[in-house]
Amino acid sequence: MDLERGDKKPPPPAPRTAATTTTTTTTSACSGKKRPPLRDSLVALQPVLLRAAAALAAAAAAAVMALDAQSYTAVVAIVGTRPLTQTFTARYFVIANAIAAAYNLLVLLVRRRRTTASLVVRMLDMVVMALLATGAAAAASMAELGRNGNARARWNPMCDRFGSFCRRGGAALASSFVGVALMLALNLLSAASGAGC
């Protein structure tokens, strides 16, 4: 009642003790306070490991497909008595993986010197992830066509004749999709760390 009429003043706030200050400094990460050094080093190490693994997966996919020696030439039409042939290659898939691997290695090297702008790297991470995903998806659709064919278009499957090519292509596809997943995890980690502060 006295407080409602204004007769009594509210009690002063309790003084902060050393225990409460210590807990605040260790738990608040975005207010500029210090965190434990082990946690800082583990959090800083996650993007580096993800980026290195993504670069390795993309480089492995590019190398396997670039060194795959078998090729496939198909007759697409017959003009008179002369057949027109078409050779199918997977260059876009190789180039997309090579770009992703080179980009991740470049960012790893430049980040050591701490001269990169974080926003630019985040935007380029998304672009490279999209490039890698579209390259892997396009190669996967062609691999499915090569493995099963298309009866309506009268395209016969080719993996029964080019078995080693298809096996190596499948391994490269798996490696490329691992790279896509790692780039996605890197983007999500980057977004989460940026949204927290």
Side-chain angles (χ1 to χ4, degrees), residues 2-193:
D2 293 334
L3 280 176
E4 290 175 0
R5 286 186 296 224
D7 294 343
K8 270 191 172 179
K9 293 183 179 177
R16 293 178 75 170
T17 62
T20 55
T21 7
T22 310
T23 0
T24 312
T25 57
T26 56
T27 54
S28 79
C30 296
S31 62
K33 308 280 185 182
K34 292 184 179 177
R35 288 188 292 189
L38 179 61
R39 183 176 171 202
D40 275 343
S41 60
L42 288 177
V43 168
L45 192 61
Q46 286 175 350
V48 173
L49 290 176
L50 282 173
R51 193 174 296 283
L56 186 63
V64 167
M65 278 310 288
L67 297 175
D68 208 352
Q70 284 185 324
S71 60
Y72 177 64
T73 303
V75 176
V76 292
I78 298 176
V79 178
T81 58
R82 184 175 163 196
L84 296 176
T85 59
Q86 174 69 43
T87 302
F88 296 97
T89 58
R91 293 197 191 282
Y92 179 67
F93 180 62
V94 174
I95 290 171
N97 279 286
I99 288 172
Y103 164 76
N104 282 314
L105 286 175
L106 181 67
V107 170
L108 283 172
L109 292 174
V110 173
R111 272 205 184 256
R112 286 180 160 249
R113 297 177 187 166
R114 305 203 182 270
T115 57
T116 56
S118 181
L119 182 62
V120 173
V121 170
R122 286 180 185 182
M123 290 187 332
L124 286 175
D125 280 350
M126 284 188 252
V127 170
V128 168
M129 183 191 72
L131 175 71
L132 196 59
T134 53
S141 69
M142 290 306 295
E144 195 276 333
L145 186 63
R147 182 179 176 87
N148 300 321
N150 188 335
R152 291 182 182 176
R154 296 183 182 180
W155 290 341
N156 295 325
M158 64 172 223
C159 282
D160 53 349
R161 289 170 293 188
F162 298 97
S164 63
F165 176 79
C166 289
R167 280 192 299 275
R168 287 191 292 257
L173 267 175
S175 182
S176 185
F177 277 115
V178 167
V180 171
L182 290 168
M183 287 299 292
L184 177 63
L186 186 63
N187 277 310
L188 291 175
L189 183 66
S190 176
S193 68

